[in-house]
Each structure stands twice: as structure tokens, then as C-alpha cells.
Amino acid sequence: NNNSKSNRKYQYSGHSNGDTAEKKNSGHSNGDTAEKKDSFDERFDDLLSRNGLKRNKIKDNGDCLFTALLNILKNTIRSNVDENLPETVSELRKELVKWMETPESGDHGGTFLNEHEEIITSEIVPGTEDKLLYDTIDHYKRAMSLSADKRNINNYVPMSGFGGQIELIAFVKKYKDVLENYYGSTNIQLVQVVKEEPIELQISSNFVDGEITTDLQRLDTNLPILFFKDLHYDMITPEN
């Protein structure tokens, strides 16, 4: 992996989200016809159903990763009644960025943000050759703290607030105790599409790329499952 956001956003080394308009503007729409997309959706949802699973769709508005992470936290409330957990996407974004600057967030004596600054500030706007997505680390903090509607008002590049692997890792580290109290694990599983016809998937966990497969029985339905396709996150849950 190299250090550009274009890589960390579109591979498992990082995944972004975004609505259709943003994908068209960034030049990264996959160009599929609506009919082909519907065909894949039908086939994929049928595959899920045959495995006792369903897709919980999340609004395609540029906040989908954080919406999914907020849903994961909401599931833990019963076992974390004493935790002051965020209740909105906006609160989650702000709390996560604030945590990134705390001494306890780092692994090597610095803060989480210090340790990832080089990667963040070298990320390129997709569709360009050398336009930086963030001018400074402060630019990243401001953009990542804003929900999609606030980014639009403040004229930020839409993709500047998309979540990826860095934000997923930060989430797991910050809410480690909360996740372990409820799930008995900090593992967040990820299913992403490798090929649409025939369907090929990659199932990953703990930020490690998994094998190419269609065997959804490998998923642990007691743990959170994210689904990533076309720069967008949904969630996968048991049917019952």
C-alpha cells in the first residue's frame, strides 16, 4: 500500500463512502447501468437470504460509514449504560477527531493523529494527479468533524469527510471497551465486492484482507458486519 487516500479509500487498505452525485463529480462512478446494478442487488440480496442474512441499507449521503458505526454503538447501550456514547453522526465525528489528539490514542508515544499525519496529509483528491485532499492536518480535523450537510454548507470537497480505514481503526481503538463489553470482541467484519458477475466477495476482519469467496457462512453473525460497494457502506445482519 502507498500513502494516498485514493488507495486507502478504494481498497481494503481503506474505504470511503459517498452518494451518487459525489461519485460522479469525483470521476469514480463505476459506470454500471441501473439495470445491471439492480441485477447485482437482486442476486446479492438473494445470496444473503440463502445464508440467513439481510442487508440493512444506509442513506447514500456521504456519512454512511459513520452512520454504520453509530448503529454499532447503539447496539451496545444495554451493556454500556454508564458510557456517555454519541447519539448522532455529528457527535460521533467530533468525538472521534477529538480522541485522535489525546495522548492515550497513540501507540508509539505520540497521538493517533501525529502517527497518521504523514498518510493523511499526502492524500490526493481522486480524479486528480496531485491535488491534496487536505492542505494541513487541521484541514483534515475540520472536514472529518463535519457531517455531510455541514460540509456542503462550508464548501468542503465532499470526499474530505468520507471515512476509511484510518477512521475505522480510530473507532475500534476509542471504543475498545464498549465493543468488548457487548460483543466480546473488537472485530468489525467487512464484506466487499471483488467481482459482480459472477459474484465474488472478500471477507475481511481486524483490518486484514481475507480470501476471495462467496461463502458467507464464514461470517460471525454475533459481530458487526459492514458491506462495502461503490464507495458506500451498508450493514449486514441476521434475517431474524
Side-chain angles (χ1 to χ4, degrees):
N1 296 335
N2 66 28
N3 287 342
S4 72
K5 177 165 263 184
S6 58
N7 277 321
R8 86 173 178 89
K9 291 296 185 182
Y10 305 123
Q11 303 171 5
Y12 184 61
S13 55
H15 311 279
S16 79
N17 51 2
D19 62 24
T20 303
E22 291 171 349
K23 283 181 282 185
K24 287 181 178 177
N25 291 338
S26 67
H28 285 271
S29 173
N30 67 1
D32 286 349
T33 64
E35 181 178 352
K36 185 175 180 180
K37 287 185 178 180
D38 289 343
S39 174
F40 171 82
D41 285 344
E42 291 174 359
R43 289 182 291 113
F44 180 66
D45 289 341
D46 181 62
L47 177 63
L48 289 175
S49 182
R50 293 199 306 272
N51 285 272
L53 302 168
K54 64 180 180 180
R55 178 166 34 157
N56 292 342
K57 294 186 177 181
I58 294 174
K59 189 176 180 180
D60 223 359
N61 64 356
D63 281 332
C64 55
L65 174 62
F66 291 94
T67 300
L69 297 179
L70 187 66
N71 288 339
I72 291 171
L73 285 183
K74 286 180 176 178
N75 288 339
T76 73
I77 288 176
R78 289 181 184 176
S79 59
N80 291 285
V81 292
D82 295 329
E83 293 285 344
N84 185 22
L85 299 177
E87 296 181 358
T88 66
V89 164
S90 180
E91 289 179 5
L92 176 58
R93 283 179 172 274
K94 290 174 182 176
E95 288 193 14
L96 207 54
V97 171
K98 183 178 179 180
W99 172 85
M100 290 179 184
E101 299 183 271
T102 62
E104 62 269 21
S105 65
D107 290 326
H108 307 289
T111 68
F112 184 92
L113 210 53
N114 293 150
E115 293 171 3
H116 293 83
E117 182 172 357
E118 183 178 351
I119 295 174
I120 292 170
T121 56
S122 64
E123 293 171 356
I124 304 300
V125 176
T128 72
E129 292 184 1
D130 56 6
K131 183 179 179 181
L132 291 174
L133 190 56
Y134 308 108
D135 298 327
T136 64
I137 198 66
D138 285 335
H139 181 194
Y140 166 82
K141 291 191 297 183
R142 291 194 301 271
M144 199 57 67
S145 295
L146 296 173
S147 54
D149 56 335
K150 298 295 192 302
R151 291 200 304 279
N152 292 339
I153 293 172
N154 288 276
N155 297 316
Y156 280 89
V157 174
M159 296 192 74
S160 64
F162 290 2
Q165 185 179 6
I166 286 178
E167 294 74 37
L168 270 168
I169 292 173
F171 174 84
V172 169
K173 285 172 64 69
K174 173 173 171 50
Y175 295 105
K176 177 179 181 291
D177 292 342
V178 171
L179 296 171
E180 287 186 341
N181 285 344
Y182 182 78
Y183 295 105
S185 170
T186 60
N187 186 14
I188 295 179
Q189 302 164 102
L190 181 79
V191 177
Q192 57 183 334
V193 178
V194 175
K195 186 178 179 181
E196 291 191 20
E197 180 63 51
I199 293 176
E200 290 184 358
L201 307 169
Q202 185 175 47
I203 298 176
S204 309
S205 60
N206 287 333
F207 312 107
V208 177
D209 290 346
E211 295 181 5
I212 308 303
T213 183
T214 55
D215 182 11
L216 295 179
Q217 293 298 316
R218 297 185 180 194
L219 293 169
D220 185 342
T221 56
N222 294 311
L223 300 176
I225 307 169
L226 300 179
F227 173 63
F228 178 74
K229 180 180 182 291
D230 293 342
L231 311 184
H232 178 72
Y233 287 96
D234 288 319
M235 298 191 73
I236 293 175
T237 60
E239 278 189 314
N240 299 325

